[in-house]
Amino acid sequence: MFEWIADPQAWVALLTLIALEIVLGIDNIIFISIVVGKLPVHQRDKARLIGIGLAMVARLGLLLSLFWIMGLIEPIFTLLDNAISGRDLILIFGGLFLLAKSTHEIHTSFDIPTESTHGVVQVGFYSVLIQIAILDIVFSLDSVITAVGLVDNISIMVIAIVLSVIVMLFAAKPISIFVEENPTIKMLALSFLLLIGFTLVAEGLDFHVPKGYIYFAMAFSLTVELINIKIKKRKETGTIHLNKKCQKMTNYI
């Protein structure tokens, strides 16, 4: 099983797969950050840990069910001249769930809080875990199919998935805190989830959307927002000033 250790190409494949799994895990982290933020503070760490644990179990479970995964590719019926398989149905329903959940979160983010809620709409602990588990399956399916398409050795796949989940484990809390402390970042994260939900539905209907375009758009939007946050903080402390030429250009724009 581990004969590949002496093969340099296998190590390149492993590192590439780890990087891809981490990138694919970003979607999962964003969703977990949003739903965990609805819980009381003392329950968030526990829910986050269980949620990431469920993500790893889902990925490894699907990976060890390769024959079942390959069977999901077989067409079940035809819709609008498109052959729909079990994988397509999972992607479509997962995407619709993500669209509905993100829209609901955006709507509740603009609700005026009452004194009784103290500005936080709290939900049930197990309700959050169920939501995380549902999306874990959808995101894990994409992750495992990527792994199967890139390498042939199952031990490499398992190592890459476990290491990517460990990275998620350490990154989830800082990302969650950052999202909660910056409302504009939270809104941007919800917009990302809408984009991902739409992409999942499109993929389920056999409309291939290159992932590079999606991640570039997300990275570009995040970079612009981080610059805006930095400029806003500097303006609040009085450490940034626009010269007259820049002010004229800004007014012209």
Side-chain angles (χ1 to χ4, degrees), residues 29-50:
I29 291 177
I30 292 174
F31 182 79
I32 291 175
S33 300
I34 296 296
V35 296
V36 167
K38 309 289 285 186
L39 288 171
V41 177
H42 68 279
Q43 292 184 335
R44 293 178 185 176
D45 287 343
K46 182 179 179 181
R48 193 180 298 112
L49 181 62
I50 294 176

Side-chain angles (χ1 to χ4, degrees), residues 48-103:
R48 193 180 298 112
L49 181 62
I50 294 176
I52 295 175
L54 289 173
M56 183 170 70
V57 171
R59 280 165 168 77
L60 293 178
L62 290 175
L63 186 59
L64 297 175
S65 306
L66 289 180
F67 291 107
W68 181 72
I69 292 292
M70 299 308 294
L72 288 177
I73 302 176
E74 296 298 324
I76 299 176
F77 60 91
T78 302
L79 177 65
L80 300 176
D81 295 328
N82 290 322
I84 304 298
S85 64
R87 171 185 175 271
D88 294 333
L89 289 176
I90 293 176
L91 292 177
I92 291 171
F93 286 111
L96 291 175
F97 174 79
L98 202 54
L99 287 171
K101 179 63 180 175
S102 303
T103 303

